Each structure stands twice: as C-alpha cells, then as structure tokens.
Amino acid sequence: MNTKQITAAIVLFAAVGAAMAESPFPPETKFVSTKTRAEVVSELQQAQAQGLITNGNNYPIVIQARSPLTRSEVVSQSKPAGDSSTYAGA
C-alpha cells in the first residue's frame, strides 16, 4: 500500500511539473513602441553629442555636478573654527 502511494505521489508531482513547464514566466506581453525610429535616432545622436553614450566595455559616464564654491572657500570651510571644544584628533 505504501509503495502505491509513493508511486502515485511521484507521478502526480511529475504531471504538475510538466504542466507548469509549458506556461511562460513571466507572462509574455507584446511590446508596442510609442516612438518613431526617427525620434529614437535623434535621441541617440543628442546623447552621443552630450557624451552620455560610450562604446565598448566602458561604463556609463556620470557627469559630476559643478560646485558654486571656489577652492579657497572649500579649504576655509574645512579648517577648524578656532574654538577649543572642536575635536582636533588623537
């Protein structure tokens, strides 16, 4: 009796596995573009002109934001304020 139950369970699991293997996951959805080919090409050319597109194995270029402060202003901000309560190191 026990062998019949084990065999039935194996057959049941095999049938369930085969049924699940036929359905695609995630469900396939048809892609519909909202842009024309000319729009995509113009966007590509604009991005290449701005230096945002690279070729080969280069990583995407990240443009660093400009600081409104000059170098001397940044150096003066990094100096201690002069009061003795500021931690000065070990």
Side-chain angles (χ1 to χ4, degrees), residues 20 22-30:
M20 299 215 26
E22 293 181 19
S23 62
F25 184 81
E28 296 177 8
T29 57
K30 184 165 175 67

Side-chain angles (χ1 to χ4, degrees), residues 33 45 88:
S33 178
Q45 290 172 347

Side-chain angles (χ1 to χ4, degrees), residues 5-49:
Q5 290 176 344
I6 292 173
T7 305
I10 291 172
V11 169
L12 179 65
F13 283 124
V16 169
M20 299 215 26
E22 293 181 19
S23 62
F25 184 81
E28 296 177 8
T29 57
K30 184 165 175 67
F31 176 76
V32 178
S33 178
T34 58
K35 295 183 180 183
T36 65
R37 181 178 176 85
E39 290 173 335
V40 173
V41 169
S42 69
E43 286 179 4
L44 174 63
Q45 290 172 347
Q46 182 181 8
Q48 286 174 337

Side-chain angles (χ1 to χ4, degrees), residues 80-89:
D83 78 58
S84 60
S85 66
T86 305
Y87 177 72

